[in-house]
Amino acid sequence: MKIRCYEPKDEIGWLRCRVLSFLDTAYFDHVLREKEKYLHPSIELVAEEDNQIVGLIDIEYEKEPGTICSHKSQRSGMIWHVAVHPDYQCKGIARRLLNECIHLLKDKNIHRLEAWTRDDLFVNNWYENNDFVKRNTYYHVYMEGKEVESAVKSNLSNLIPITAFAHYVGDDPDEMRRRFKRVHECNMFERIINM
């Protein structure tokens, strides 16, 4: 297996790897049709085996603190994507990708990494096993049908909301879980990489 920089010719393989790796997660419906491009500098790596993209990581990093991440006094990097093809999981690929990025980020004087993820236990465990600490939580709330009717109203005549997505930042997530079928905890993990 080879870890290398992402190249534009990798886009289809990158997209396939990401969507397949997300199928068994709380992000199962977050499908991208093209790879994101970043406004700030980034490190974008892929793991390749048998001419196939089997892993990926994208980290966008700051020139000035607080322009991407939540920390306002230290230059940080945001992990936007980390994924491993299901047929290649549990082989240390994600860790190798992360470690390579950390090595590159230290040379760029980046002090910390930030990542946001949902409540998949294996994903949260991966972050914790890779020296990340959970620092913040809010909730993603999905609504459909009658759930939307009870929570969202349109100010435009003849526009009827059918589905909705919202952030809940309140203190009673159990109330959200009683009202809506699909509620996900969204956790922010942090790792200090440069002191």
Side-chain angles (χ1 to χ4, degrees):
M1 185 191 60
K2 177 168 90 173
I3 292 180
R4 60 173 176 80
C5 291
Y6 169 86
E7 300 172 8
K9 69 178 179 62
D10 298 323
E11 185 173 32
I12 296 298
W14 187 98
L15 290 166
R16 286 181 179 150
C17 179
R18 184 185 178 278
V19 75
L20 289 172
S21 73
F22 279 32
L23 280 178
D24 292 327
T25 74
Y27 281 109
F28 65 90
D29 55 352
H30 189 243
V31 176
L32 300 179
R33 297 185 68 191
E34 58 186 39
K35 186 180 180 308
E36 295 168 316
K37 294 176 177 51
Y38 303 106
L39 296 176
H40 300 274
S42 62
I43 295 173
E44 302 166 48
L45 301 179
V46 294
E48 181 181 39
E49 189 163 299
D50 300 325
N51 296 317
Q52 177 181 339
I53 303 301
V54 299
L56 59 96
I57 190 168
D58 284 8
I59 299 177
E60 185 179 19
Y61 60 91
E62 301 170 326
K63 292 180 181 177
E64 297 294 325
T67 54
I68 300 169
C69 299
S70 61
H71 203 285
K72 303 300 182 206
S73 63
Q74 289 182 319
R75 291 181 61 223
S76 303
M78 178 68 75
I79 299 176
W80 288 118
H81 304 283
V82 59
V84 175
H85 188 289
D87 294 344
Y88 294 85
Q89 291 176 358
C90 301
K91 296 181 179 186
I93 295 171
R95 180 173 289 191
R96 285 183 58 193
L97 288 162
L98 174 65
N99 288 339
E100 180 63 25
C101 283
I102 288 171
H103 174 74
L104 296 169
L105 289 166
K106 283 181 177 181
D107 290 342
K108 298 177 184 311
N109 203 26
I110 300 299
H111 298 283
R112 63 184 282 283
L113 283 175
E114 186 172 310
W116 289 87
T117 191
R118 289 191 180 153
D119 43 16
D120 295 295
L121 185 59
F122 77 97
V123 175
N124 286 263
N125 287 341
W126 183 84
Y127 280 107
E128 289 171 354
N129 290 334
N130 283 282
D131 301 320
F132 285 80
V133 176
K134 185 162 75 167
R135 297 287 187 211
N136 197 356
T137 298
Y138 71 97
Y139 297 84
H140 288 170
V141 179
Y142 288 83
M143 296 164 260
E144 293 183 4
K146 299 257 185 235
E147 293 176 330
V148 177
E149 291 174 21
S150 72
V152 178
K153 303 292 182 224
S154 173
N155 290 331
L156 302 174
S157 62
N158 300 318
L159 181 67
I160 303 164
I162 303 299
T163 62
F165 169 72
H167 289 182
Y168 177 71
V169 295
D171 297 328
D172 191 2
D174 291 334
E175 170 65 18
M176 293 297 104
R177 288 187 178 105
R178 282 190 293 275
R179 290 188 63 186
F180 306 106
K181 286 187 265 185
R182 187 171 172 205
V183 177
H184 295 286
E185 187 176 88
C186 189
N187 300 310
M188 187 271 273
F189 284 91
E190 173 189 66
R191 177 171 171 179
I192 304 303
I193 60 172
N194 239 351
M195 294 305 281

